[in-house]
Structures are given as C-alpha cells and as structure tokens.
Amino acid sequence: MRRKKRVVRIGSVSIGGHHAIAVQSMTKTKTSDVKSTLAQIRRLERAGCELVRCAVANKDDAAALSQLCRFAKIPVIADIHFDYRLALAAIDAGVAKIRINPGNIGDEWKVERLIERARDKNVPVRIGINSGSLPKAIIEKHGHPTVPAIVETIERALSIFKKNSFTNIVLSAKCVDVQDTIETYELLDKRFEYPLHVGITEAGLPFQGSIKSAVGIGVLLHQGIGDTIRVSLTADPVQEVAAAYNILSALGLRKHGPVLISCPTCGRCEVNIVRIARAVDKRLRKYKTFMKVAVMGCVVNGPGEAREADFGIACGKDTGAIFAKGKEIKRVREKKIIDTLFEVIDENINNR
Ligand code: SF4
C-alpha cells in the first residue's frame, strides 16, 4: 500500500497523494545547445517521459531554459549545483521545478534567497542528495557516506526550508549501492511527508544499470515508497524511460505500451525463437497501446501462454499458430509468422 505524501505540482504533472508514479529522465546534451536539447526532449516525450531535467552548469545553460520551457510539451526541471544564482535564473526562466544539492550551494543565506524566489513563483524544489557529494563536515563526522550520514544531510538541509516555512519540496537521496538506497529511502519515507524521487545513482550501462535499478526501485515501489522515478543509465535517455516503464509495468503500477512475453527456448524448440522474439520486440516498439504479446517456442507452454495474452504465437515444427484474444485463429509457415502476427494485431487494434 502506497503511503500518501503531500501533493507537489510540477507544471502539468502532480506527484504525491494518489497520483500515478511519474517517469522522468534527464537530457544529456549541453543545455545551452537549444536545438539538440529540444530534439532530445522530443524523443523523450515520444517515449512517454513525463518530466525532463536539464543540467544548468553555467549562465549559457540558464539562458537557454526559457526557450526549452516554451517549446517542451513536458515540464522542464533545472538541475543546479554550486551557484544559487543559476537557480534564481532558472526560476525566472519558467522552469517547473528546480533540483538542488544544498550541500554544495554554500551559505545559508544563498539557500534562503533561492527559497524566497521559489515561493514567489510557486516552483517546487527537490532537495537531491547523492552519496558521492555529501558536505565535508558530514563526511568528517561519519567517515564515509553511510546511510545515517545521508539522512543527517537531508535533515540539515530541510532545517533551512523549515525555518523559512517552505514546504513545496520533493526529496531524494540516491546511493550507488542498492541496499544503502533501499535503507535510506525506508527511513526518509518514515520520517517525512514530502514526495520521494527514487532512483539508483550512477547505475551503469544499460544491462547492469537496468538490473540494479529494477532491484532497488522495485523493492521500494513494492513497499509503497516512491512518487517519481528515474533510471540512471550510461546510455541514450530514451532507454531510461523504457526501463522505468518496464519496472512500473512488472509491478502492475502503470500500463504503458506493449508487454512482450517470450519463452527462454530449449531443446524442444523447432524454430529460431530468439530471432522471432527480437523481431517482434522491435516492431512492437512502434505501438503505444497496452497489450500482452506472447512468443512461445513449442506446444508445452505455448498455446496456454499465447491464449492468455492479448496476442500470441505458439510455434511447432517450421510453423506457428497465431492467437488473438484467447483463440487460435491461424496457422502459418515459419517465415510468415511475424508478418501474420502483426496483421492480426493491426486488425484488432483498428477494430477497437
Ligand atoms: S515454450 Fe517450449 S520451447 Fe519454449 S522453453 Fe518452454 S518448452 Fe522450451
């Protein structure tokens, strides 16, 4: 059961309360390069990304934000480190949220200036701590970026916001280590009413990063912890969005596009099921409709799974039976299996 948090409005997207868990990603272009950044935002929008964050590292990046906010269809979030003046410029440019790491913003008065501007413009602030960038004083006290060190950093940062009666806040405390991340968020969830942005930081290349993220984010979401997620991959950000929806879909929390069910194949298989599954997966990426499509290698589990899915293939020797809505409707030669499956899918989708 998901614990209810304060509702925070990030432009057109609300998180917390009973709102759906929002999927976000981050552009990987230079933010000052408006053309490339907008092109990446467009690709993210098409992939189903709901919130996009852009790094604001200097004045040129800050200057690009008004154009990005104007043309992006999804809310733009500014990611700020070190310089509070960049946060002020980002808020003035119209961003829907800012993310700061209070540990590197510096003096308290700088955070207060930022709070004042965020309040004036009704812009929420994510206090985003990463295990790799804790303040020096905390590291000196704890020795390492341990879970208590991370939670203390959040508490210290929050005390400034509390003193200034500012509650339009989202929290995150991402660690590289999956178990530390889980433990940290469990504590944050118990202690604070603010919505939580959940993720594993620096998770790695797509294969390893998706597994680490699925384990960490999955365990937390399964406990009802998390209001928005980002899968951080060393890859095209569109892959982050796909991974995020796969995690949400596996937990039954969101339905987004087709879900492929494919058998692992074994000695009973008489067709090239790996090739068929890959080809079906590739063609399914063009579809937005939620549907389960099963690609099965033989008659052991094939007909059962294919029947249970919305559409399916159960292969035999050089042939495949095509299923739609629980019924076998055609049997075709191996080379016709994929095209026939998609003809059937298209007919059914058009008929809806
Ligand atoms: S469906 Fe058939 S081919 Fe696929 S793994 Fe199961 S037994 Fe093997």
Side-chain angles (χ1 to χ4, degrees):
M1 176 69 179
R2 191 153 151 231
R3 282 184 273 279
K4 228 169 110 183
K5 299 288 183 190
R6 259 173 197 277
V7 174
V8 167
R9 221 185 127 94
I10 307 160
S12 55
V13 175
S14 292
I15 61 167
H18 289 303
H19 290 282
I21 295 156
V23 169
Q24 58 177 290
S25 185
M26 196 165 174
T27 50
K28 304 190 179 190
T29 50
K30 293 282 175 215
T31 303
S32 55
D33 178 352
V34 173
K35 199 171 161 215
S36 306
T37 305
L38 258 182
Q40 200 163 71
I41 292 175
R42 287 278 176 269
R43 292 180 56 242
L44 284 166
E45 287 166 350
R46 283 197 293 274
C49 184
E50 294 166 311
L51 296 163
V52 64
R53 185 156 45 109
C54 301
V56 181
N58 52 45
K59 281 184 189 161
D60 291 341
D61 290 340
L65 287 172
S66 58
Q67 288 283 89
L68 297 176
C69 293
R70 187 167 160 218
F71 293 109
K73 293 186 188 120
I74 53 178
V76 174
I77 301 164
D79 190 84
I80 317 279
H81 289 266
F82 305 112
D83 190 345
Y84 81 101
R85 289 166 300 187
L86 294 176
L88 302 185
I91 295 170
D92 291 342
V95 296
K97 184 172 106 185
I98 57 166
R99 178 271 166 123
I100 57 158
N101 187 337
N104 62 30
I105 292 289
D107 300 333
E108 194 168 318
W109 66 265
K110 292 177 180 168
V111 180
E112 286 181 337
R113 288 282 303 278
L114 179 161
I115 290 174
E116 208 179 294
R117 191 71 57 92
R119 193 196 329 269
D120 280 356
K121 299 276 169 78
N122 200 21
V123 169
V125 177
R126 168 158 71 96
I127 299 173
I129 310 286
N130 274 27
S131 56
S133 58
L134 299 189
K136 238 164 116 194
I138 298 267
I139 292 292
E140 275 163 17
K141 182 177 165 191
H142 292 267
H144 296 281
T146 56
V147 172
I150 294 165
V151 175
E152 188 178 332
T153 308
I154 288 264
E155 273 169 348
R156 282 194 193 185
L158 270 174
S159 68
I160 309 175
F161 286 81
K162 207 170 162 191
K163 206 166 100 189
N164 288 274
S165 308
F166 187 91
T167 54
N168 200 5
I169 291 169
V170 178
L171 293 180
S172 71
K174 300 182 189 177
C175 311
V176 174
D177 184 87
V178 172
Q179 292 182 61
D180 284 350
T181 304
I182 293 169
E183 214 182 301
T184 305
Y185 275 96
E186 284 171 347
L187 283 173
L188 296 182
D189 183 58
K190 276 194 198 112
R191 270 188 216 181
F192 304 111
E193 58 185 338
Y194 303 112
L196 297 174
H197 165 127
V198 170
I200 306 294
T201 195
E202 295 127 25
L205 291 162
F207 181 72
Q208 172 202 314
S210 300
I211 293 173
K212 278 179 82 174
S213 301
V215 173
I217 297 173
V219 165
L220 288 166
L221 291 178
H222 189 61
Q223 297 182 68
I225 300 171
D227 301 281
T228 174
I229 63 169
R230 187 222 172 170
V231 176
S232 304
L233 298 178
T234 312
D236 182 333
V238 166
Q239 291 190 50
E240 297 186 354
V241 175
Y245 276 113
N246 269 293
I247 295 170
L248 292 169
S249 164
L251 289 165
L253 295 167
R254 298 276 307 259
K255 286 180 175 174
H256 180 85
V259 174
L260 177 68
I261 297 155
S262 61
C263 87
T265 185
C266 72
R268 289 183 197 91
C269 193
E270 307 266 12
V271 294
N272 188 342
I273 204 76
V274 176
R275 181 189 68 78
I276 294 173
R278 281 210 182 115
V280 170
D281 182 52
K282 197 168 167 204
R283 280 174 70 166
L284 280 176
R285 282 182 219 156
K286 292 189 202 119
Y287 292 76
K288 299 271 174 247
T289 316
F290 172 77
M291 55 181 153
K292 288 186 182 168
V293 180
V295 174
M296 304 297 291
C298 79
V299 291
V300 175
N301 294 320
E305 290 292 355
R307 231 176 248 123
E308 287 306 309
D310 295 302
F311 304 100
I313 304 166
C315 297
K317 186 164 170 40
D318 306 324
T319 61
I322 311 292
F323 289 77
K325 306 290 164 205
K327 288 198 185 102
E328 181 182 329
I329 51 167
K330 271 179 196 172
R331 206 165 268 247
V332 292
R333 307 289 302 164
E334 181 178 351
K335 61 175 191 236
K336 294 228 147 197
I337 290 174
I338 300 168
D339 285 341
T340 312
L341 172 72
F342 280 92
E343 279 163 24
V344 169
I345 290 175
D346 289 342
E347 265 167 36
N348 277 271
I349 287 182
N350 293 338
N351 286 342
R352 269 180 202 173

